[in-house]
Amino acid sequence: MGWGYVEDAIDKSTLQPILDVMAPVLGGAPQPARPGPSAADVTLATPAVDPPQALAAFVSTDHDQRLLRAVGRSFRDLATLRAGTPLAAPAAVATPRNPQELEDTLAWASDAGLAAIPFGGGSSVVGGVNPEDMGDWPGAVTIDLQRMNQVFGINERDRVVHAEAGILGPALENALAGTGLAVRHYPQSYFHSTLGGWVATRGAGHFSTLRAKIEDRVQSLSVMLPDGSTSTTRPLPASSIGPDPNRLWAGSEGALGVITDVRLRLVADPAHKLSASIGFRDFETALEATRAIAQAEIWPAQMRVLDPFEHMVSTALAGGAGEGALMILGFEGEYDVSRQRDAAVEIARAHGGTPRTSGDSGAGDWREAFFRQPYLRDALLDHAVIVDTFETAVPWSAVPAFYHSVLEATGEALDEVCGHGGVACRVTHAYTDGVALYFSFYAPGEHDALLTQWHALKAAVSEAVVAGGGTMSHHHAMGRDHKTWARTEIPDAFRSAIRGAKSALDPTGMLNPGLWFAD
Amino acid sequence: MGWGYVEDAIDKSTLQPILDVMAPVLGGAPQPARPGPSAADVTLATPAVDPPQALAAFVSTDHDQRLLRAVGRSFRDLATLRAGTPLAAPAAVATPRNPQELEDTLAWASDAGLAAIPFGGGSSVVGGVNPEDMGDWPGAVTIDLQRMNQVFGINERDRVVHAEAGILGPALENALAGTGLAVRHYPQSYFHSTLGGWVATRGAGHFSTLRAKIEDRVQSLSVMLPDGSTSTTRPLPASSIGPDPNRLWAGSEGALGVITDVRLRLVADPAHKLSASIGFRDFETALEATRAIAQAEIWPAQMRVLDPFEHMVSTALAGGAGEGALMILGFEGEYDVSRQRDAAVEIARAHGGTPRTSGDSGAGDWREAFFRQPYLRDALLDHAVIVDTFETAVPWSAVPAFYHSVLEATGEALDEVCGHGGVACRVTHAYTDGVALYFSFYAPGEHDALLTQWHALKAAVSEAVVAGGGTMSHHHAMGRDHKTWARTEIPDAFRSAIRGAKSALDPTGMLNPGLWFAD
């Protein structure tokens, strides 16, 4: 079990050169390959329940069905599967095809005294859907919404698509074919995540500026509460009637109601695309240029900035030898974007950057590599190589001290826990007041200690993020994995408010228990 | 008593030409002037309370102090003052100078069984601060925050200012002098509204796109709860740890805690400004051009679009005779904005517009006239002329049917209630998925029936707005005046959630009772 589609997995001949490149970081060859368990090998800790006959068409207690929804796709999830200990799993899996079946599922779970965990594409990397930390709940029905995937309508005048929450990224994009409109929200999980999941986690896509976060693109949404009642926010471009209801459910991770459908703001299919890459002698200089571009209101569609190690790793994999930091800019729009590109390049140059190439190529390769990274992680994991990432956002004024302190803390933890390791960083999204940083680390793990090693590393990096004033997540949500450290960034009054809201919406606390909402 | 500063009031020689221009709309000369009451003439319905001696330095029960905080500046407020009936007023007025005095005020109000109404600049036009509809509360302490007006810091790297909630618009802007940074948030109430008030009401400023709403510019805020505890949201450019806490208090109208300070995102002092005005044969055509510009990602700083009647009125007051609809575009930025201006003008032209002038003049005059409009309303009210406005936002697909239905309903109501009248509309803010429309109406009222007439008109226009799918307010908040109709746009689940949050934050419900939050 791993990421995505079996036929897309990385084969041995592709892997060896990667291992060769990584050898210096890993302190030599990694452990011999030990494949992950097959589905049948995994024992489920939680007993299944007997669903009523009336729900048989969309509720299953099949082993594989339960296993498939027992975890997300975090490193912890994969290491847990390999550890061989019995796995916390849903007591049953519901795949409702419409709101009535969803209502029936919730009513049954409620009657049976079971928790309910809304589930989108299952690509959570933060323990968002694992039936763990559930207090007194004896088990959970995981509600996979992927069969609620209708497109209700495309409003071309408003540039809004109205679709059910369970639709996957590509299906939503395909539904727009021929309209001249597009979603263009490409998280790394694009092929395996849903519209509702994006909103419930406040995810980010490939837009580095302006439309980075999905919550800024939600015009309206509907939720179903445990009692089966539904509510829809009024589709409006903006309002000042009380707090914004859409913003209560954006980031609610299934704990404040099941998001059933969303009206999402679209963009024009870009008629114009341009890119540029710019070299910098170091990351600090590149960050200053990034800040200047972000604050200049040029709004590049993409602005990825690789630190020297990230740059070295990514070019080494392609047989090259990148030095220094690299900024990759992408511009796209309904109208000519050359002036934007030129302005950004000019600012970068004024901040010490050296333009490398210019044109409209390159973005496609990068995009494909980006979507393939999780497959690589699986292949490396066979060799007990720990590959994990964490992402955060901080104000500009905290950078670069934040970058250095997190790098140092991560490096020290890797040395201590694994004896070797490397840590890389890139800018993924930028704002006028700060930046999102995405860290990746690699270390030689041990097959029989992966989970322990990961927990030690996760604690060390999370403490460094919190100490530096970063958020525990810019776009992956909180889940169970971030709960401990996320506490420090949730103001007391907000915790009280959300608990109050949760009590009103979900009086028994049955929805996705285990998040901070109910602590 | 009226809007703003006495020395800025409109004198007779300025008023007469305006009355002459309006005569056709008003069906002739309006009623003879009857000046509004002086402060001493107004009777307060609510008895004062005796504050403890310890609070004497910042709590007053002086008649004028209480009268000044008894109302906002809506037409209803001014008509109520003129009606001569005893006025609901605060039982006392607190003007705390720091968080300790604010805490002491809340503790005293709580002990004394009084409600507490947070008060910024007092420019509410929706009944946001009136001590009315308070259920069982015998009286309220109005907490005017204008003495909590410190600027704590300006972070030039992050482009963020951190200031206390009670600071007025101009003071906040002045604090930034010399930094190269600016707020550039100019609501019509700019001189008489506070940073905290902007956030509590989800106000909008002069930016027509991208930075229209203040809530998009809040990096962090602090609130004090009735128990004196304070919470500060972490200053972050973005996050995905749960729902966004800043968005709970944006639009909370003082009912979920007292906003004590805000970190607000700034812009560069614009080094470049350009404007353009474009004529259209009718409003419908102009709206199509507005939509095209909003969806083209050009982001004009200002895009005001006047319908023919609004255009006629505004030019008539300057001695001209404008025909058709008029689009006024403004561009500003740190870098050259000529390409943006040219692109927008080109789109407008392609949609049937005729560029009228071009250059960087005109915006200043329009701005001054804009800030003077409330003074004009006062002068007209002396003649019992009803001048009121209402604003809303709707998806593009609802326009122009919405425009016509609201115009028709308003016109019919004016004829029925006043015998004559005119209604004008302008676009104030535009989004990719919709537009904010601002309606103004004028009618010959009667000195002794102003309030009754206004209530009939307000009901008619509000019903039309709701029926058309608009929000009851795009940027003036809900207050008490919009509560009845706003109910229809608040989803049940959100009402429950906010009530739950309110119970947790404000268990006795003492904060600004009378809004929908506690209904």
Side-chain angles (χ1 to χ4, degrees):
Chain A
M1 282 188 66
W3 180 269
Y5 303 112
V6 172
E7 64 271 25
D8 287 338
I10 285 177
D11 64 24
K12 232 177 195 170
S13 63
T14 312
L15 184 63
Q16 195 52 54
I18 294 172
L19 288 175
D20 294 344
V21 164
M22 293 180 77
V25 175
L26 302 178
Q31 300 209 325
R34 185 196 288 181
S38 68
D41 294 338
V42 181
T43 313
L44 304 184
T46 327
V49 293
D50 261 340
Q53 192 52 40
L55 310 188
F58 56 93
V59 176
S60 165
T61 55
D62 174 76
H63 172 89
D64 286 7
Q65 292 296 314
R66 292 169 61 217
L67 172 57
L68 206 57
R69 278 77 170 196
V71 291
R73 286 298 178 271
S74 69
F75 184 89
R76 175 175 78 92
D77 289 330
L78 302 180
T80 301
L81 284 169
R82 286 164 189 259
T85 47
L87 192 70
V93 172
T95 49
R97 293 162 293 189
N98 53 54
Q100 184 59 56
E101 291 183 353
L102 173 59
E103 183 180 341
D104 293 345
T105 303
L106 288 166
W108 164 56
S110 181
D111 287 348
L114 295 166
I117 300 183
F119 185 103
S123 63
S124 173
V125 289
V126 297
V129 295
N130 308 51
E132 299 168 333
D133 295 346
M134 299 203 303
D136 293 336
W137 294 97
V141 181
T142 291
I143 307 177
D144 182 325
L145 293 154
Q146 286 188 53
R147 288 163 90 183
M148 285 178 62
N149 58 10
Q150 281 192 66
V151 175
F152 290 134
I154 299 161
N155 189 320
E156 297 188 26
R157 285 184 64 80
D158 296 346
R159 296 195 170 178
V160 166
V161 63
H162 183 198
E164 281 188 304
I167 193 167
L168 290 168
L172 186 61
E173 199 83 54
N174 289 342
L176 297 168
T179 62
L181 299 174
V183 179
R184 298 194 71 68
H185 180 80
Y186 300 118
Q188 200 162 33
S189 61
Y190 174 64
F191 295 100
H192 313 287
S193 60
T194 61
L195 173 60
W198 300 343
V199 175
T201 57
R202 293 173 68 191
H206 87 308
F207 282 114
S208 289
T209 67
L210 213 56
R211 290 189 178 87
K213 298 296 294 285
I214 199 76
E215 61 263 37
D216 293 327
R217 300 179 64 181
V218 175
Q219 190 199 40
S220 160
L221 51 75
S222 303
V223 290
M224 185 181 287
L225 301 184
D227 65 7
S229 65
T230 59
S231 278
T232 301
T233 62
R234 183 173 289 203
L236 291 168
S239 173
S240 64
I241 296 298
D244 184 347
N246 295 325
R247 301 280 178 162
L248 178 69
W249 283 287
S252 61
E253 298 195 50
L256 300 177
V258 183
I259 298 172
T260 56
D261 58 78
V262 177
R263 283 183 177 84
L264 194 73
R265 298 181 180 123
L266 302 171
V267 297
D269 229 342
H272 298 266
K273 288 189 196 182
L274 286 174
S275 65
S277 37
I278 298 144
F280 289 88
R281 72 168 180 276
D282 53 36
F283 197 46
E284 294 77 355
T285 312
L287 283 168
E288 275 303 284
T290 309
R291 181 170 74 94
I293 294 169
Q295 294 182 340
E297 305 183 31
I298 294 172
W299 315 122
Q302 285 161 78
M303 182 157 55
R304 306 281 186 250
V305 187
L306 318 184
D307 81 350
F309 186 65
E310 175 107 14
H311 184 204
M312 186 274 285
V313 171
S314 67
T315 50
L317 295 177
E323 284 184 14
L326 183 70
M327 174 184 284
I328 302 165
L329 292 169
F331 295 87
E332 57 179 67
E334 195 170 354
Y335 296 88
D336 177 34
V337 290
S338 59
R339 202 206 63 100
Q340 282 170 272
R341 197 261 316 266
D342 296 347
V345 170
E346 190 45 46
I347 292 173
R349 199 196 302 267
H351 282 78
T354 308
R356 296 249 172 119
T357 61
S358 161
D360 57 354
S361 65
D365 293 348
W366 190 87
R367 189 179 142 178
E368 185 167 332
F370 173 69
F371 288 128
R372 286 191 63 72
Q373 282 172 17
Y375 292 101
L376 177 58
R377 184 184 58 168
D378 285 339
L380 289 167
L381 191 50
D382 282 348
H383 290 273
V385 176
I386 297 176
V387 183
D388 200 10
T389 63
F390 57 99
E391 44 80 31
T392 181
V394 283
W396 289 114
S397 54
V399 170
F402 180 87
Y403 166 68
H404 286 294
S405 65
V406 172
L407 222 57
E408 192 180 323
T410 308
E412 281 173 10
L414 292 169
D415 286 347
E416 192 172 319
V417 175
C418 301
H420 288 275
V423 52
C425 179
R426 66 173 183 263
V427 167
T428 55
H429 304 84
Y431 302 84
T432 63
D433 60 333
V435 64
L437 298 176
Y438 193 101
F439 294 87
S440 306
F441 59 85
Y442 314 87
E446 292 169 32
H447 279 303
D448 295 323
L450 279 178
L451 209 47
T452 318
Q453 293 178 316
W454 179 83
H455 275 293
L457 294 172
K458 184 72 180 175
V461 303
S462 299
E463 274 153 31
V465 166
V466 167
T471 174
M472 276 305 296
S473 178
H474 168 263
H475 60 266
H476 286 156
M478 179 184 56
R480 288 157 183 83
D481 293 358
H482 290 157
K483 196 169 51 167
T484 306
W485 300 280
R487 279 193 173 80
T488 62
E489 66 185 277
I490 299 159
D492 287 344
F494 190 62
R495 183 186 300 274
S496 300
I498 290 293
R499 280 186 200 159
K502 167 107 175 147
S503 296
L505 300 175
D506 175 22
T508 66
M510 68 183 284
L511 291 176
N512 205 6
L515 307 180
W516 64 261
F517 298 83
D519 280 8
Chain B
M1 282 188 66
W3 179 269
Y5 304 112
V6 171
E7 64 270 27
D8 286 337
I10 286 176
D11 64 24
K12 230 177 196 169
S13 63
T14 312
L15 184 63
Q16 195 51 53
I18 295 172
L19 288 175
D20 293 345
V21 165
M22 294 181 75
V25 175
L26 301 179
Q31 299 210 325
R34 185 196 288 182
S38 67
D41 294 340
V42 180
T43 312
L44 305 184
T46 327
V49 291
D50 261 339
Q53 191 52 40
L55 309 187
F58 55 92
V59 177
S60 165
T61 54
D62 174 77
H63 172 89
D64 285 7
Q65 294 295 314
R66 292 168 61 215
L67 172 56
L68 206 58
R69 278 79 169 197
V71 291
R73 288 296 178 271
S74 69
F75 184 89
R76 175 175 78 90
D77 289 330
L78 303 180
T80 302
L81 284 170
R82 285 163 189 260
T85 46
L87 192 70
V93 172
T95 50
R97 292 161 294 189
N98 51 57
Q100 184 58 56
E101 291 183 354
L102 173 58
E103 184 180 341
D104 293 345
T105 303
L106 288 165
W108 163 57
S110 183
D111 288 347
L114 295 166
I117 300 181
F119 184 102
S123 63
S124 173
V125 290
V126 297
V129 294
N130 308 50
E132 298 169 333
D133 294 345
M134 298 202 303
D136 293 337
W137 293 96
V141 180
T142 292
I143 306 178
D144 182 324
L145 293 153
Q146 284 189 54
R147 287 163 89 181
M148 286 177 62
N149 58 12
Q150 281 192 65
V151 175
F152 290 135
I154 300 162
N155 189 320
E156 296 188 26
R157 285 184 63 81
D158 297 345
R159 296 195 172 178
V160 166
V161 63
H162 183 199
E164 281 188 303
I167 195 167
L168 290 167
L172 185 59
E173 199 82 54
N174 288 342
L176 297 168
T179 62
L181 300 173
V183 179
R184 299 195 68 69
H185 181 80
Y186 300 118
Q188 199 162 36
S189 60
Y190 174 64
F191 296 100
H192 313 287
S193 58
T194 62
L195 173 59
W198 299 344
V199 175
T201 56
R202 294 174 69 192
H206 87 307
F207 282 113
S208 288
T209 66
L210 213 55
R211 292 190 176 86
K213 299 293 298 281
I214 198 77
E215 60 264 36
D216 293 327
R217 301 179 63 181
V218 175
Q219 189 199 40
S220 160
L221 51 75
S222 304
V223 289
M224 185 181 286
L225 301 184
D227 66 7
S229 65
T230 58
S231 279
T232 301
T233 63
R234 184 174 288 202
L236 290 168
S239 174
S240 65
I241 296 298
D244 185 347
N246 294 326
R247 301 281 178 161
L248 179 69
W249 284 287
S252 62
E253 299 196 49
L256 300 176
V258 183
I259 297 171
T260 56
D261 59 79
V262 176
R263 283 183 178 82
L264 195 73
R265 298 182 180 120
L266 302 171
V267 295
D269 229 342
H272 298 265
K273 289 189 196 181
L274 286 173
S275 64
S277 37
I278 298 143
F280 289 88
R281 71 168 181 276
D282 52 37
F283 196 46
E284 293 78 356
T285 312
L287 282 168
E288 275 302 284
T290 308
R291 180 169 75 94
I293 293 169
Q295 293 182 340
E297 305 184 29
I298 294 173
W299 315 122
Q302 285 161 79
M303 183 157 55
R304 306 281 185 252
V305 187
L306 318 184
D307 82 349
F309 185 65
E310 176 107 13
H311 185 204
M312 185 274 286
V313 170
S314 67
T315 48
L317 295 178
E323 283 185 15
L326 183 70
M327 174 185 285
I328 302 164
L329 292 169
F331 296 87
E332 56 179 66
E334 196 171 353
Y335 296 88
D336 177 34
V337 291
S338 60
R339 200 205 61 100
Q340 283 169 271
R341 197 264 315 267
D342 294 349
V345 169
E346 192 44 47
I347 292 173
R349 199 196 302 268
H351 282 78
T354 308
R356 296 253 171 117
T357 61
S358 161
D360 58 356
S361 62
D365 293 349
W366 190 86
R367 188 180 144 176
E368 185 168 332
F370 174 67
F371 288 128
R372 287 191 62 72
Q373 282 172 14
Y375 292 102
L376 176 59
R377 182 185 61 168
D378 285 339
L380 290 166
L381 192 49
D382 282 348
H383 290 272
V385 176
I386 296 175
V387 183
D388 200 9
T389 63
F390 57 98
E391 44 79 33
T392 182
V394 284
W396 289 114
S397 54
V399 169
F402 180 88
Y403 165 69
H404 287 293
S405 65
V406 172
L407 222 58
E408 192 179 324
T410 308
E412 281 173 10
L414 290 170
D415 286 348
E416 192 173 317
V417 175
C418 301
H420 288 274
V423 52
C425 180
R426 65 173 183 261
V427 167
T428 56
H429 304 84
Y431 303 84
T432 62
D433 60 332
V435 63
L437 298 175
Y438 193 103
F439 294 85
S440 306
F441 59 83
Y442 315 86
E446 291 169 34
H447 279 303
D448 296 322
L450 279 179
L451 211 46
T452 318
Q453 291 178 317
W454 178 83
H455 274 291
L457 294 171
K458 184 73 180 174
V461 302
S462 300
E463 275 154 29
V465 166
V466 166
T471 175
M472 277 305 296
S473 177
H474 167 264
H475 61 265
H476 286 156
M478 178 185 55
R480 288 156 183 82
D481 294 357
H482 290 156
K483 195 168 53 166
T484 306
W485 300 279
R487 275 182 227 284
T488 62
E489 66 184 278
I490 298 161
D492 287 343
F494 190 63
R495 183 187 300 275
S496 299
I498 289 294
R499 281 184 198 161
K502 167 107 176 149
S503 296
L505 301 175
D506 175 23
T508 64
M510 68 184 283
L511 291 176
N512 207 5
L515 307 180
W516 63 262
F517 299 82
D519 278 10

